[in-house]
Amino acid sequence: PMAKVRLVSSRTLVDRVTATLQEIGVLHLESTPMEAAQIPLRPQVMDEPARQRRAELERLREELRRLFLLLPEISSEERINTEQVRHPGLTEGGIRHLADLLRPIAGRVDDLSAKLKTCEEELALLSKYELALAALAPFLRFIQESEELDHLGVTLEEREGSRDLLPLLREMMAKITDDRYELFHTRVDERLLVVFLVFPKAHSVRIRSLLWEEGIAELRLPASVSEKPLGEALRILLQKKAALPLEATRYRQELEEVALRWRQELAQYQKAVICCLEQIEARSLFYHTDMATFIYGWVPRCALATLSLRIGKEFGGKVVLEECLLGQKEWVHVPVVLRNLAFLQPFETLTRLIALPRYGSIDPTPYVALFFPLFYGMILGDVGYGLLLLAVAARVRRRYSQHPFLRDLSTVFFSASGMAILFGLLFGELFGELGAHVGLHPILNRMQAFIPLLAISVGIGTVHVVLGIALGALSAWRHGNRQECLAKLGGVTLVLSFISLMASLVGLVPGQWISAEVVGVLCSLIMIFALGGGRGAMELHNLVNVLSYLRLMGIGVASASLAFAANKLGGMVGNVLLAVAISGTLHGLNFVFGILSPTIQSLRLHYVEFFVFFFAPGGRPYKPFTHRHPALPLRG
């Protein structure tokens, strides 16, 4: 339940009221109150000094965000606890102080980051030449800079079916230089040779031309040393290769020192900047007259007393907190807080996959928490697969414990895996019929008891559909629509009477009830069309909805059949390893289908066959004006 409230204060207290509301952190501010059209209230207009202050704070926020991206993380022992930090207040002088503080820090961080980036880029570039440098390094002792000699490195790639290039290169060099050359080579890998040539400079142009014609690649060095003699270039690159990692390490250490010195204080300032910006934005939601200001909002009724007590203690009667009347027409504007018991809260994830329910409607979360694991377990229904699902859910929860969506989803599948194990014991299945070998005896054999399973599926579907229609009737009653409520109750009678009649005709219930069941069907039809008019015809579709639950049996039997086939095919192979491979592969596929298919079908039965009767989407999420997360007691 939510309360609509109005705070009235003098115009001089706007800043204090805003800061106090942010500190309390339970009021959802309303941007366009309905009363503004009835009372001569004017919206608050931001003046020029406030705009300039906001612009400067936004600049500081972006600068702080940029610094946190550049500064390394610090250890968990030294990391701040953002819930306990008391951030400094940012007055005009505080903003100037923060700007002056950031200027030298940003300059230092930018300088170190730029140097570190340069080192890393050069190291990445040198890594492309690492093999060539390693191959040519032993030849440096043969390189003596001379006005008469030239040096050249080439790479020879040996391919299957191609001619040997090394003898061809020797023949070409001997012919061009009259045997006045030296050739050294080393193997980099199975297919690549690096060759080092020394020859008179007079033959340089012709040698390079012939190498290009023969498709022999000349070793290319980085552009920074490409104009230098080969010997000097190699020495420079080898020196850089040794020095750059040390330089990069030094720059990283200096950045870590800056982070250790300033990160905690900058985090405090970052929180202060964000809070100030939120306060500035919140002030634009105030309305005013010549003498007073008004702010409207929504607060969970369980937190209203706390809010009133804090406002009274802080302002001593100078600020008035009033609860406004909340008409049913305003329910569409009321923000929604889902309030469920702790063990039900993870199932809110499945509700929110569709939408948040509107205020005043019914939260389907408790019913999803009851029926989703039931449907899932009935479809999967295998002890082995249930244990595997339990292990997967435990792994996901442990690895993603800080991710709310995945943490809640893993809890949902904990419940689903438990039901799969229970139904597996009922069906006597452990990776199919292997349960018989470990003493599991089926109470209900899925591969044989088709008729009982059909009856159970229809029975569960009847309960689920009837519950949905009954919740729809309750919702109509709450909204004052008595006629629709009675029409939906007629739909409940129709489903129960018709399913009971079918059961009597096939001998599942005593035949003497048939007359009463026919009367029930006729009366419910009269009730539906008399009260619901043409829309009453939609209630007839509820009978088809019940039949949709036969998928609980059909898909479950298909899963059991695939497990049976996996064991059968594995048993037909004489080789043990091959049998395990075949059976394991099929069981793996069945397990993947066992995760996806029951999930999809269970959600479909809720979203299509159940929610349609009562679920009213479109709720506004409750977003309290706060610099921290809403207090947990508001959830349950």
Side-chain angles (χ1 to χ4, degrees):
M2 302 292 287
K4 178 184 178 182
V5 298
R6 172 176 59 211
L7 280 85
V8 187
S9 68
S10 67
R11 299 185 66 175
T12 58
L13 292 176
V14 169
D15 290 351
R16 281 186 59 195
V17 169
T18 306
T20 302
L21 290 177
Q22 187 182 41
E23 182 182 351
I24 299 172
V26 296
L27 186 65
H28 178 111
L29 299 181
E30 182 60 70
S31 58
T32 54
M34 296 181 66
E35 295 182 11
Q38 305 167 2
I39 304 175
L41 298 178
R42 299 185 297 274
Q44 191 87 357
V45 178
M46 191 180 300
D47 55 18
E48 187 57 32
R51 289 194 185 93
Q52 293 177 0
R53 188 166 188 256
R54 181 178 66 176
E56 179 63 13
L57 285 169
E58 287 175 344
R59 186 190 69 79
L60 292 174
R61 179 184 62 187
E62 291 305 310
E63 183 69 4
L64 286 165
R65 186 187 65 82
R66 190 180 66 84
L67 286 176
F68 277 110
L69 290 175
L70 294 175
L71 287 173
E73 290 282 351
I74 56 178
S75 63
S76 58
E77 293 80 9
E78 296 163 316
R79 190 178 300 130
I80 63 170
N81 185 338
T82 56
E83 294 296 327
Q84 298 177 356
V85 168
R86 290 185 59 84
H87 55 75
L90 283 184
T91 60
E92 295 298 329
I95 293 175
R96 288 194 296 271
H97 170 72
L98 177 56
D100 293 338
L101 179 68
L102 288 182
R103 200 171 295 114
I105 297 175
R108 177 65 173 157
V109 171
D110 288 343
D111 180 58
L112 291 173
S113 299
K115 290 179 178 178
L116 177 59
K117 183 179 179 181
T118 300
C119 285
E120 290 175 341
E121 287 176 349
E122 289 192 19
L123 280 171
L125 181 63
L126 285 179
S127 66
K128 299 178 181 179
Y129 299 92
E130 187 170 0
L131 293 177
L133 288 175
L136 291 175
F139 303 141
L140 281 175
R141 66 179 184 271
F142 300 114
I143 301 176
Q144 298 180 0
E145 304 302 338
S146 169
E147 295 182 357
E148 297 180 358
L149 296 179
D150 197 358
H151 313 85
L152 184 63
V154 298
T155 56
L156 302 180
E157 187 174 0
E158 299 176 343
R159 299 177 180 175
E160 293 185 9
S162 62
R163 54 181 175 169
D164 195 348
L165 294 178
L166 189 59
L168 177 65
L169 183 59
R170 290 184 186 276
E171 181 182 345
M172 183 186 73
M173 293 297 297
K175 182 177 180 180
I176 294 174
T177 63
D178 294 329
D179 283 329
R180 297 176 60 204
Y181 76 97
E182 291 289 344
L183 185 150
F184 308 93
H185 67 89
T186 184
R187 182 172 293 279
V188 175
D189 54 37
E190 295 179 357
R191 299 175 60 181
L192 189 65
L193 289 173
V194 172
V195 179
F196 179 66
L197 301 171
V198 183
F199 50 86
K201 282 188 177 181
H203 304 295
S204 295
V205 175
R206 189 178 176 193
I207 289 174
R208 283 182 166 85
S209 176
L210 287 175
L211 289 175
W212 181 81
E213 291 177 3
E214 293 293 335
I216 298 175
E218 183 179 347
L219 189 64
R220 298 292 182 184
L221 295 179
S224 59
V225 294
S226 60
E227 301 297 327
K228 298 183 180 296
L230 181 60
E232 183 182 352
L234 289 175
R235 290 187 181 94
I236 292 173
L237 292 179
L238 290 171
Q239 289 172 359
K240 282 188 174 183
K241 185 181 176 183
L244 284 175
L246 298 176
E247 290 184 25
T249 301
R250 178 164 57 87
Y251 295 141
R252 290 192 189 96
Q253 289 175 346
E254 292 184 28
L255 279 172
E256 289 175 0
E257 291 173 2
V258 175
L260 288 173
R261 170 64 183 86
W262 291 109
R263 193 175 179 99
Q264 181 167 351
E265 187 171 346
L266 293 181
Q268 295 173 341
Y269 273 112
Q270 184 184 47
K271 187 173 183 180
V273 168
I274 293 173
C275 287
C276 287
L277 282 170
E278 290 175 347
Q279 290 176 17
I280 290 173
E281 295 301 323
R283 290 183 197 118
S284 66
L285 303 180
F286 278 77
Y287 285 74
H288 67 91
T289 62
D290 292 336
M291 300 295 294
T293 61
F294 298 77
I295 184 70
Y296 294 80
W298 308 91
V299 60
R301 188 164 292 280
C302 61
L304 180 58
T306 301
L307 176 63
S308 179
L309 184 65
R310 288 287 302 275
I311 291 294
K313 183 179 179 180
E314 182 72 23
F315 297 98
K318 295 180 180 180
V319 176
V320 178
L321 175 67
E322 301 176 288
E323 182 178 358
C324 304
L325 293 176
L326 179 58
Q328 189 170 326
K329 293 182 179 179
E330 292 186 80
W331 281 8
V332 69
H333 302 292
V334 181
V336 173
V337 180
L338 296 183
R339 188 179 185 184
N340 291 291
L341 297 175
F343 71 93
L344 296 177
Q345 290 173 8
F347 289 88
E348 293 176 5
T349 302
L350 302 182
T351 300
R352 294 175 186 271
L353 286 177
I354 291 294
L356 198 64
R358 278 206 307 266
Y359 185 77
S361 65
I362 296 173
D363 178 14
T365 301
Y367 310 104
V368 174
L370 173 63
F371 284 100
F372 179 85
L374 177 66
F375 295 165
Y376 196 104
M378 188 173 177
I379 295 174
L380 190 58
D382 187 287
V383 175
Y385 295 145
L387 291 173
L388 283 178
L389 181 61
L390 185 66
V392 171
R395 172 68 175 169
V396 171
R397 183 174 180 82
R398 184 167 59 252
R399 182 169 183 179
Y400 299 101
S401 59
Q402 303 302 317
H403 193 294
F405 176 79
L406 293 178
R407 184 182 64 241
D408 288 348
L409 207 59
S410 65
T411 304
V412 169
F413 279 95
F414 268 127
S415 303
S417 61
M419 292 302 296
I421 293 171
L422 288 177
F423 274 98
L425 295 174
L426 174 65
F427 299 145
E429 295 182 18
L430 174 70
F431 296 113
E433 78 282 3
L434 295 182
H437 299 288
V438 294
L440 289 181
H441 301 290
I443 300 173
L444 192 65
N445 192 323
R446 280 201 288 187
M447 299 298 292
Q448 298 174 1
F450 295 114
I451 299 302
L453 284 173
L454 283 173
I456 292 173
S457 300
V458 172
I460 291 175
T462 301
V463 172
H464 204 224
V465 169
V466 166
L467 176 61
I469 302 172
L471 291 174
L474 175 62
S475 180
W477 182 271
R478 284 183 178 178
H479 289 80
N481 196 334
R482 303 293 188 263
Q483 188 171 335
E484 182 181 351
C485 174
L486 293 175
K488 287 188 176 295
L489 290 178
V492 171
T493 306
L494 174 64
V495 172
L496 292 176
S497 300
F498 184 82
I499 296 300
S500 179
L501 177 60
M502 293 297 102
S504 297
L505 292 176
V506 298
L508 294 178
V509 297
Q512 59 266 30
W513 293 2
I514 291 180
S515 298
E517 291 159 353
V518 171
V519 171
V521 170
L522 294 175
C523 291
S524 61
L525 288 173
I526 294 172
M527 193 174 174
I528 288 170
F529 286 104
L531 298 172
R535 290 185 303 172
M538 296 300 296
E539 297 295 333
L540 301 178
H541 193 266
N542 300 339
L543 302 175
V544 180
N545 288 345
V546 171
L547 298 179
S548 293
Y549 290 78
L550 291 175
R551 69 186 69 236
L552 296 175
M553 184 274 292
I555 298 174
V557 170
S559 176
S561 300
L562 185 54
F564 176 83
N567 298 331
K568 192 71 173 177
L569 289 174
M572 294 170 63
V573 180
N575 186 293
V576 175
L577 293 178
L578 185 57
V580 170
I582 293 174
S583 181
T585 300
L586 291 176
H587 277 299
L589 289 173
N590 199 21
F591 177 61
V592 172
F593 292 146
I595 293 177
L596 298 177
S597 186
T599 302
I600 294 170
Q601 300 304 330
S602 300
L603 290 177
R604 184 197 182 281
L605 290 174
H606 280 87
Y607 295 158
V608 178
E609 272 74 28
F610 185 61
F611 281 21
V612 68
F613 299 113
F614 67 92
F615 185 68
R620 297 171 60 198
Y622 167 66
K623 295 180 179 179
F625 174 50
T626 179
H627 53 73
R628 62 186 185 279
H629 294 294
L632 289 179
L634 297 181
R635 290 193 67 190

